[in-house]
Amino acid sequence: MKQVDYIIVGCGLASIAFCEQLRTNNITFIVFDDGSQQSSIVAAGLYNPVILKRFSEVWKAKEQLDIALPVYNRIEQDLNIKIDYKLRILRRFSSIEEQNLWFNATDKPKLEPFLSTELVKNNNDALDAPFGFGEVLHAGRLDTNALIDAYKDYLKQIKSLEESSFIYEKLQVLPHSLIYDDIETQQIVFAEGFGVKKNPYFNQIPLNGTKGEVLIIKAPKLNIDYGVKSSVFIIPIENDLYAVGATYNWADKTNQPTEEGKQELISKLKTFLRCDFEVVQHLAGIRPTVKDRRPLVGRHPEHQNLYVLNGLGTRGVMIAPYVAEKLYQFVENDKPLDSEINIKRFTY
């Protein structure tokens, strides 16, 4: 019988962030992942401390960045990879009124560190932006694909990855331990994203799931090294490739890209992109979203050693290390969870 302190189910941003809590505290674990969840893989990976639609603050933006960026930096060093790319983000203004709203927002204490007070004029013929841009500070892009691939390779090296589905019926919940096949463990953390809907222990949590679609385009004449937010995001990747996203579909719960989603993105992109481009890839995934836009973290109401780490929504890059640390402190050090992330805020 193999003994580990934790089983973690899933290997997306939430799971990796929790693994880092365990790894840095020399706590043993094994991860189960069958590759079925796509939300982390199709994410553009942007971390952006401002809601750019209405120029308002992201929930706990500073606290999240203060925790997240050192975690990703440590992963880069320990795994010898590059995943964190600092990135200027320019918000395209569609009118003088939007300019004024931006500069009013720069006076708000919680937004002031993240919004530049200088108007950025457009000097790129490939972009239609007669009213210029506002610049977001302290933003960046995390290469989520590279992170997940490298982390899975690392887990394989240390023999801590089971590339298979977690079969819930095989789990034996005993008074002082948990048995799964030939593994004995003390705790299980379910970090399955939208896959939690198939989990008999936590399938009642109010996770809605929102489908998002993203395009990868090739645009040799665009030639920008910064992100642009207008009706859609354009985020530079490399070699004239850019991520364009994203759509929001609350009805479709499949990971299949749709022609409707593709055309929506192309149509919005053409409202401000003035150069030719080619769609080279089309991706889709289900974001684990919650109606109050807060994560779902906590302990099963009956089984004291089963936990959930979910509901990261559209800002998983920023939120994952923050909620992973909160859950770790809750489980290992009995520190209470904030009520706004605790699953106890819902009766289910």
Side-chain angles (χ1 to χ4, degrees), residues 121-137:
K121 293 184 178 180
N122 180 40
N123 57 8
N124 188 328
D125 291 338
L127 295 171
D128 177 36
F131 299 100
F133 306 92
E135 181 178 352
V136 181
L137 308 174

Side-chain angles (χ1 to χ4, degrees), residues 336-348:
L337 287 169
D338 296 340
S339 58
E340 57 189 335
I341 68 172
N342 196 328
I343 57 173
K344 283 187 175 181
R345 70 187 187 274
F346 297 107
T347 54
Y348 66 95

Side-chain angles (χ1 to χ4, degrees), residues 213-217 242-245 262 265-266 279 281-283:
E213 300 188 49
V214 174
L215 301 179
I216 307 299
I217 65 166
Y242 300 86
V244 176
K262 179 181 178 181
L265 291 170
I266 289 174
V279 176
Q281 200 172 5
H282 182 190
L283 305 166

Side-chain angles (χ1 to χ4, degrees), residues 63 93 125 145 176 206 294 299 317:
E63 294 98 316
F93 297 134
D125 291 338
N145 285 320
H176 302 293
R294 297 290 178 265
R299 175 184 279 141
V317 168

Side-chain angles (χ1 to χ4, degrees), residues 192-227:
E192 305 155 288
F194 193 66
V196 78
K197 287 296 185 182
K198 298 178 181 178
N199 183 330
Y201 297 101
F202 288 104
N203 60 8
Q204 295 303 310
I205 62 174
L207 192 75
N208 299 328
T210 308
K211 183 172 184 172
E213 300 188 49
V214 174
L215 301 179
I216 307 299
I217 65 166
K218 190 173 185 70
K221 293 183 179 179
L222 180 52
N223 194 30
I224 58 173
D225 59 0
Y226 49 86

Side-chain angles (χ1 to χ4, degrees), residues 30-250:
I30 191 164
V31 176
F32 281 77
D33 184 72
D34 61 6
S36 64
Q37 299 308 304
Q38 300 289 313
S39 63
S40 294
I41 296 172
V42 303
L46 207 61
Y47 56 88
N48 162 29
V50 183
I51 299 171
L52 290 175
K53 189 172 183 178
R54 51 187 183 273
F55 310 148
S56 55
E57 62 177 297
V58 168
W59 171 71
K60 294 189 181 295
K62 185 179 185 304
E63 294 98 316
Q64 289 177 19
L65 286 174
D66 286 348
I67 291 172
L69 296 184
V71 169
Y72 296 132
N73 180 253
R74 183 176 66 238
I75 292 174
E76 286 185 323
Q77 292 180 356
D78 291 353
L79 273 60
N80 194 27
I81 57 172
K82 177 66 176 173
I83 52 173
D84 183 7
Y85 298 88
K86 303 308 173 190
L87 182 70
R88 291 178 75 207
I89 297 178
L90 301 184
R91 168 58 154 87
R92 174 181 175 267
F93 297 134
S94 60
S95 64
I96 295 293
E97 288 75 19
E98 277 202 335
Q99 286 183 0
N100 292 335
L101 287 171
W102 175 277
F103 290 114
N104 287 338
T106 63
D107 288 333
K108 296 179 181 178
K110 289 191 175 181
L111 286 172
E112 189 237 351
F114 302 120
L115 299 180
S116 171
T117 56
E118 294 184 16
L119 179 69
V120 178
K121 293 184 178 180
N122 180 40
N123 57 8
N124 188 328
D125 291 338
L127 295 171
D128 177 36
F131 299 100
F133 306 92
E135 181 178 352
V136 181
L137 308 174
H138 307 296
R141 179 180 72 87
L142 195 77
D143 189 335
T144 53
N145 285 320
L147 168 62
I148 292 170
D149 288 346
Y151 212 86
K152 283 184 175 180
D153 286 344
Y154 165 73
L155 292 175
K156 288 177 193 174
Q157 290 171 22
I158 62 171
K159 296 183 168 47
S160 292
L161 179 65
E162 289 284 341
E163 293 186 282
S164 60
S165 299
F166 187 89
I167 309 301
Y168 307 103
E169 292 75 20
K170 289 185 177 181
L171 179 63
Q172 300 176 56
V173 180
L174 304 178
H176 302 293
S177 68
L178 300 159
I179 305 291
Y180 182 85
D181 274 353
D182 62 344
I183 302 170
E184 181 178 8
T185 189
Q186 297 303 309
Q187 324 281 359
I188 297 183
V189 173
F190 293 102
E192 305 155 288
F194 193 66
V196 78
K197 287 296 185 182
K198 298 178 181 178
N199 183 330
Y201 297 101
F202 288 104
N203 60 8
Q204 295 303 310
I205 62 174
L207 192 75
N208 299 328
T210 308
K211 183 172 184 172
E213 300 188 49
V214 174
L215 301 179
I216 307 299
I217 65 166
K218 190 173 185 70
K221 293 183 179 179
L222 180 52
N223 194 30
I224 58 173
D225 59 0
Y226 49 86
V228 175
K229 172 67 172 81
S230 184
S231 48
V232 287
F233 262 114
I234 302 179
I235 301 169
I237 304 173
E238 59 185 359
N239 301 327
D240 297 324
L241 294 176
Y242 300 86
V244 176
T247 62
Y248 293 83
N249 186 322
W250 289 269

